Amino acid sequence: MARHPKPAAQPSAQSAVEVPVEWPLVQMQVHDDGAMAVLANGEAYAPPPHAPAWRRESYSMILDAITAQLGQPVKVVVTECDGTVYTDIVFPRRRTTAPAEVPAQPTLPSRRQRAATALPPVSVTGSGFLAGEEVAVAPIVAHCGAAPDGQVNALIPQGHVSGVQELALIGRISGTIQLVRAVR
């Protein structure tokens, strides 16, 4: 008795996922010393100004930055110094935010919090960051996003930086660190 396979279920319109016809291509050439050359769609993809040259250890940081910038998956071809070639598809990381905690009882702001909100914010400006990357402001009192040209402009309540003359801006993806002075 011959068995007839069941017909395959047809995908519904709701389950369809839009997939690009061509993936952006990222090519990485690893050299003997661990240094790495990177091309994104045939164009050189260099590290930010004043950052060290790309190295094998930069692999995930580079792909996080490129996929975040493009907002879509990329095809990656890595050629090792011995000629071995690896190919992969890398998807952008999903940003997750923790749910806000709800206090059991309403709390009154402290004297310091009231004083901080009464003062105008302090302006801190930096540059050399990757477009769209999260930039930490240290002492870590705030996070802000970099503009498409890599510029950052953070407004910090004065109470958070009272007495602080110098701050650090730290790129979460690029690793760029820039020391800046608070402008009052």
Side-chain angles (χ1 to χ4, degrees):
M1 183 152 130
R3 293 185 128 184
H4 297 287
K6 288 185 178 180
Q10 296 296 320
S12 69
Q14 291 177 334
S15 67
V17 176
E18 191 172 316
V19 177
V21 175
E22 255 184 59
W23 301 97
L25 177 62
V26 176
Q27 297 168 287
M28 298 177 162
Q29 175 71 49
V30 182
H31 303 287
D32 291 336
D33 63 354
M36 194 164 56
V38 180
L39 296 176
N41 282 331
E43 299 285 326
Y45 188 79
H50 311 293
W54 294 135
R55 300 199 45 80
R56 175 184 277 117
E57 300 85 36
S58 310
Y59 176 85
S60 61
M61 180 179 66
I62 296 166
L63 293 175
D64 282 348
I66 292 173
T67 56
Q69 193 172 14
L70 295 175
Q72 71 177 72
V74 296
K75 179 179 179 181
V76 182
V77 177
V78 179
T79 306
E80 291 287 342
C81 55
D82 65 0
T84 306
V85 177
Y86 299 97
T87 303
D88 199 0
I89 302 295
V90 177
F91 290 80
R93 289 183 190 238
R94 288 192 177 167
R95 290 202 175 247
T96 57
T97 55
E101 291 185 24
V102 178
Q105 300 175 2
T107 58
L108 296 174
S110 69
R111 185 180 337 173
R112 182 179 175 149
Q113 289 171 323
R114 286 191 304 271
T117 57
L119 299 171
V122 175
S123 176
V124 178
T125 304
S127 62
F129 299 92
L130 296 175
E133 84 173 303
E134 188 175 84
V135 177
V137 179
I140 300 180
V141 296
H143 287 90
C144 61
D149 64 354
Q151 293 287 323
V152 172
N153 186 17
L155 294 176
I156 303 156
Q158 276 191 359
H160 288 355
V161 292
S162 61
V164 174
Q165 296 297 315
E166 195 169 50
L167 300 168
L169 300 177
I170 305 165
R172 296 286 192 163
I173 297 172
S174 66
T176 300
I177 299 175
Q178 187 176 39
L179 296 177
V180 296
R181 292 214 168 264
V183 178
R184 297 181 192 268

